[in-house]
């Protein structure tokens, strides 16, 4: 089960198959399966929702542990960490991005602009695509966990400001900086994006 989560076969936010299907898939009995599921729940990779099912909450134990530890850190410190990581991410993305990375970033941006899904999740997907373009897996993971945590904390504010013209323009400016391979410009834009996120 952990391997299915790590590989992306079971994605964060998705419900895993029901017990009978899992028992058949892994050729194990009821007790063995329950112990395995409980182990991943305790590790923070799964969460059980009574009457609904069991959902994936983290890609692996490291992500789960980091997400859990963020609950005990002052929000200001988390915001500072996000800014520091995102600055590093966009600088690397501006240097390392490939044409394929740009295609994925533009596609994610198109999804944001279409407003067809959940705005905050679409914005996270856009920034995750930027993080992937840095080609540093550890920085990308750290960014995803911190950004997802902050999005949960600022859900109301972000939902209200998601499509503000100024916010949209900042994202367009970030794409241009990546296209131009301009790390300094990308860093400046992302500083403004983070400021905009928490402005009252």
């Amino acid at each position: 089960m952990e391997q299915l989560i790590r590989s992306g076969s079971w994605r964060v936010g998705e419900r895993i198959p029901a017990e009978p299907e899992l028992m058949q898939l892994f050729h194990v009995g009821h007790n063995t399966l329950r112990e395995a599921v409980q182990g991943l729940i305790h590790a923070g990779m799964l969460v059980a929702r009574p009457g609904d099912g069991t959902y994936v909450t983290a890609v692996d134990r490291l992500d789960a542990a980091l997400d859990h530890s963020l609950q005990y850190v002052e929000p200001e410190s988390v915001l500072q960490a996000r800014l520091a990581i995102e600055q590093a991410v966009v600088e690397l993305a501006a240097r390392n991005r490939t044409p394929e990375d740009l295609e994925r970033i533009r596609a994610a941006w198109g999804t944001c602009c279409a407003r067809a899904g959940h705005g905050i999740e679409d914005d996270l997907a856009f920034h995750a695509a930027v993080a992937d373009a840095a080609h540093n897996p550890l920085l990308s993971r750290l960014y995803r966990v911190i950004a997802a945590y902050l999005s949960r904390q600022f859900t109301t504010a972000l939902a209200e400001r998601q499509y503000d013209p100024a916010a949209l323009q900042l994202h367009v400016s970030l794409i241009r900086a990546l296209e131009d391979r301009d790390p300094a410009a990308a860093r400046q834009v992302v500083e403004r994006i983070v400021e905009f996120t928490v402005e009252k």
Side-chain angles (χ1 to χ4, degrees):
M1 286 190 292
E2 191 165 350
Q3 182 56 39
L4 286 170
I5 296 170
R6 285 175 179 268
S7 69
S9 296
W10 292 353
R11 297 181 180 277
V12 172
E14 289 184 354
R15 183 171 56 187
I16 69 172
E19 280 191 7
E21 187 177 341
L22 292 175
M23 289 167 60
Q24 186 175 17
L25 176 64
F26 297 116
H27 307 290
V28 297
H30 177 76
N31 289 338
T32 300
L33 179 65
R34 284 224 163 164
E35 286 180 18
V37 170
Q38 284 301 315
L40 292 178
I41 289 173
H42 289 305
M45 294 177 67
L46 296 176
V47 62
R49 298 175 184 168
D52 187 13
T54 302
Y55 288 79
V56 179
T57 54
V59 172
D60 61 20
R61 295 168 191 264
L62 175 62
D63 285 8
L66 177 57
D67 185 72
H68 178 73
S69 68
L70 289 174
Q71 300 174 42
Y72 304 100
V73 178
E74 290 295 321
E76 183 65 25
S77 295
V78 181
L79 287 167
Q80 290 171 351
R82 178 201 168 174
L83 177 58
I85 290 171
E86 194 152 12
Q87 287 172 330
V89 161
V90 296
E91 286 185 2
L92 285 173
R95 292 189 181 100
N96 299 338
R97 62 87 178 154
T98 65
E100 294 75 21
D101 291 326
L102 281 179
E103 286 181 17
R104 285 188 286 271
I105 291 167
R106 292 188 192 110
W109 180 239
T111 300
C112 288
C113 292
R115 306 187 187 191
H118 189 286
I120 295 174
E121 290 177 5
D122 290 343
D123 185 65
L124 279 174
F126 168 79
H127 286 282
V130 173
D132 289 342
H135 294 280
N136 183 308
L138 182 56
L139 273 177
S140 180
R141 288 178 63 189
L142 290 172
Y143 171 75
R144 287 171 190 259
V145 173
I146 291 176
Y149 174 80
L150 287 172
S151 292
R152 293 196 302 271
Q153 304 308 306
F154 292 96
T155 296
T156 301
L158 290 174
E160 292 173 353
R161 309 191 69 191
Q162 191 70 33
Y163 301 112
D164 185 296
L168 296 175
Q169 185 54 50
L170 285 170
H171 287 70
V172 171
S173 297
L174 177 57
I175 294 172
R176 287 196 187 122
L178 298 177
E179 290 171 341
D180 294 342
R181 294 190 182 277
D182 189 337
R187 182 185 178 101
Q188 289 175 353
V189 173
V190 88
E191 287 174 2
R192 186 67 191 100
I193 288 174
V194 173
E195 289 172 5
F196 187 89
T197 299
V198 296
E199 282 177 353
K200 302 300 183 184

